[in-house]
Amino acid sequence: MSTRLPLVVANWKLNGDRELLINMVERLDTLNAEQVEAVICPPFVYLSEDTASIQKGAQNIASQESGAFTGEISGRMLRDVGCSYVIVGHSERRALFGETDDIVAEKVKATLSAGLIPIICVGETDEERENGETLTVITRQVKAVLDVLPSFSDSIVFAYEPVWAIGTGKTASCEQAEDVHNEIRQILAGYNRELANTTRILYGGSVNPGNSKELFGSDNIDGGLIGGASLDVDSFMTICENAVA
């Protein structure tokens, strides 16, 4: 049985407000932190809010530390307002904002340099899955990051989010998700087998209270990166409870 502490991350995207954050923190604070770790990633403007013992994460990070980059936020700034995590390479950033594997790799380096933990998103499109390219795409995306790091560290998290399952209501079956998670862990083992066993790999893609328990019961799925369901306090709380070790 895995000894990895389950991790459940709320990615609010361009949603939410201060009231939701306050209500969410009050509920999540009742969780046993030794059984499941919960992280809230609200829009940038709410990151300076006090979230008590619940950890915060950013939805993006600049690859630069400072300079004339209007609208960007550096890792130092994120750490300064109490962030612990950063979501890097989400499929929406890749598709809508042109983030390539190289850009994602640079952002991972910037995250680690700031003493933050990157949640590195990887995943294939519907077309790529239909063409049998899932593992090719996943391998390319994972290695693009690991190949530029000085050493493979346990201070990183991966999140498998099949693009075809994000916000669509479709969810990868437990078998489909577990197969990809296992492949990611095998890729990690090629760099450092011991760290591969301790690195957490999350699943993201229309996770909800109804399917989360079965998904989290898989050997290599260590929690979830939750989108729409994280905007409802009761739903997110149930998902966290379903991830309890």
Side-chain angles (χ1 to χ4, degrees):
M1 183 174 177
S2 170
T3 57
R4 298 181 293 270
L5 179 67
L7 172 64
V8 184
V9 182
N11 177 19
W12 286 4
K13 307 184 182 184
L14 188 57
N15 301 293
D17 52 29
R18 182 178 285 111
E19 182 181 6
L20 176 61
L21 184 63
I22 292 170
N23 292 338
M24 186 76 77
V25 168
E26 286 180 353
R27 288 291 299 282
L28 293 180
D29 205 36
T30 64
L31 290 171
N32 185 336
E34 294 183 357
Q35 294 182 316
V36 60
E37 181 180 2
V39 177
I40 304 176
C41 297
F44 279 133
V45 293
Y46 301 117
L47 285 175
S48 59
E49 296 287 330
D50 181 15
T51 57
S53 61
I54 305 304
Q55 299 200 73
K56 294 180 289 192
Q59 298 177 21
N60 190 25
I61 187 174
S63 55
Q64 302 86 3
E65 293 185 4
S66 62
F69 303 101
T70 300
E72 292 294 285
I73 306 293
S74 73
R76 176 184 59 80
M77 296 170 183
L78 295 175
R79 190 182 68 246
D80 199 35
V81 295
C83 276
S84 302
Y85 289 87
V86 181
I87 298 172
V88 183
H90 191 282
S91 64
E92 290 160 1
R93 297 296 312 177
R94 293 178 188 259
L96 301 177
F97 300 95
E99 293 194 2
T100 63
D101 289 344
D102 289 342
I103 291 174
V104 172
E106 288 302 310
K107 289 191 172 188
V108 169
K109 288 167 63 177
T111 302
L112 291 169
S113 294
L116 303 170
I117 300 172
I119 300 169
I120 306 158
C121 299
V122 297
E124 82 284 11
T125 64
D126 196 26
E127 182 180 3
E128 289 166 337
R129 174 165 281 274
E130 289 297 321
N131 291 336
E133 299 172 349
T134 296
L135 297 185
T136 300
V137 171
I138 299 301
T139 299
R140 186 197 77 228
Q141 292 175 336
V142 172
K143 287 192 170 186
V145 171
L146 298 183
D147 285 346
V148 301
L149 298 181
S151 61
F152 168 30
S153 166
D154 61 351
S155 296
I156 62 176
V157 174
F158 277 93
Y160 169 53
E161 42 155 35
V163 180
W164 48 271
I166 299 173
T168 64
K170 298 179 182 178
T171 307
S173 68
C174 287
E175 293 76 15
Q176 288 173 320
E178 172 65 13
D179 284 348
V180 176
H181 278 241
N182 181 63
E183 181 67 20
I184 294 172
R185 204 169 300 285
Q186 294 307 310
I187 297 169
L188 301 181
Y191 291 79
N192 186 314
R193 182 165 295 278
E194 183 177 352
L195 288 178
N197 290 331
T198 59
T199 298
R200 292 179 290 184
I201 307 173
L202 314 181
Y203 173 76
S206 298
V207 178
N208 58 57
N211 61 28
S212 54
K213 193 173 188 68
E214 185 178 8
L215 283 165
F216 297 160
S218 301
D219 290 343
N220 287 293
I221 299 179
D222 305 312
L225 178 59
I226 317 299
S230 72
L231 298 172
D232 180 88
V233 175
D234 290 337
S235 292
F236 189 68
M237 187 71 181
T238 299
I239 292 170
C240 289
E241 290 170 345
N242 286 343
V244 167

